[in-house]
Amino acid sequence: MEKQELIQEIIRLKKEKNAVILAHNYQTPEIQEIADFVGDSLELAKISHTIPNQTIVFCGVFFMAETAHILAPEKKVLLPSLDAGCPMADMADPHEILELKKEHPDAAVVTYVNSTAEIKAISDICCTSSNAFQVLNSVKEKKIIFIPDRNLGRNLARFISKEFFYIVGYCPVHEAVKKEEILKLKEIMPDAEILMHPEVNPEVAVFADKLLSTGNILKYAMNVSNKNLIIATEAGLLYQLHKKAPQNRYFNIGRDMICPNMKKTNLQNVYEVLKNESNQVVLDPEIREKAKKSIVRMLEI
Ligand code: SF4
C-alpha cells in the first residue's frame, strides 16, 4: 500500500475498533502524526490508565507497552514491533538486584520505568526522568538502590543527600554523548542553551544549562521564545519541538541521536497490528500485580 492509503486505513481501523494510538516523543514524525497522544513515558503511562478505549496501539518500546498493560490489564495493548526492546532495560539482571538488596537490606529499590516488569516486581517504587527527584525525596530510606540507569541516578545524587548504589546500566544513545562534542558546541554557539536528557553521563551533564525529561524539554521550549536551543536527546523530540514551539531555533549536537529500537515502529506494522489485533503484550498475572505496586506508588506522588 502507498503511504497515504496506509494512513487512511489506520484511521479507518482505529475508528472501527475504537482504538487509540499512543506514541513516544522518540518515534518517527509519521508515527507522531497518526498518534492520538504523543508524550514521554510518564505522560503515556497515565493516559493508558485513564483513556476509555479498550485497544491501545503503543508506539514505543517493549517496557512501555508492558507498563500500559500493567496499569490497564483489561485493555488490549498492541506493540507494532515486538523486537523494539530497550538495551538499558535489558541490562538489569533480577539476580544481581536481589543480591544488592541482600547486601543493603535497609535500602529502597528505586527503579526507572525503563526496566522490565520482572525488575519492577522486585522494586519498591518506580520513577521516570520527569519525577525522579520527587520520588527520591518521597522515599524515607537514606540508602537507595537506583536501577537500571546509573547516569540518571548519579545526575540526581548530586542534589540528594542519600547514599546511592548502582548497577552497570545506561542508555547507549545518551551515553554516547561526549564532553568534547558539547564543549565544541559551546564554543561555536556561546549564546545557545543546552538542554540535555538526564540519561547522559554525569561528566557531560555538568555542561547542561538544563537537565530535563523529554516532556519537560518540550514544556520549557513552549514557554520561551526566540532562543537557540541545542537538544541533547533522541532526534524524534525535534519534531515535537518544531511543531509545538516554532518560535525558537533548534539544533542537534552536531549529529542526530537515534535510538534504533524506537524507529522499529512504522506505518506498515501499526496497520498490521490494528487490522489483526496482533502483538498483544501480556504478562504473567503474578509479576504484573507485583510490578503494579511500584508503578502505582509512583503515580500516587
Ligand atoms: S533511547 Fe535509550 S532508554 Fe530510550 S528506548 Fe532507546 S535505548 Fe532505551
Side-chain angles (χ1 to χ4, degrees), residues 26 61 63 85-88 114 171-174 199 234 259 262:
Y26 294 163
V61 293
F63 75 80
C86 168
M88 183 204 306
N114 297 27
C171 162
V173 181
H174 290 89
E199 285 172 14
E234 214 276 349
C259 171
M262 282 286 180

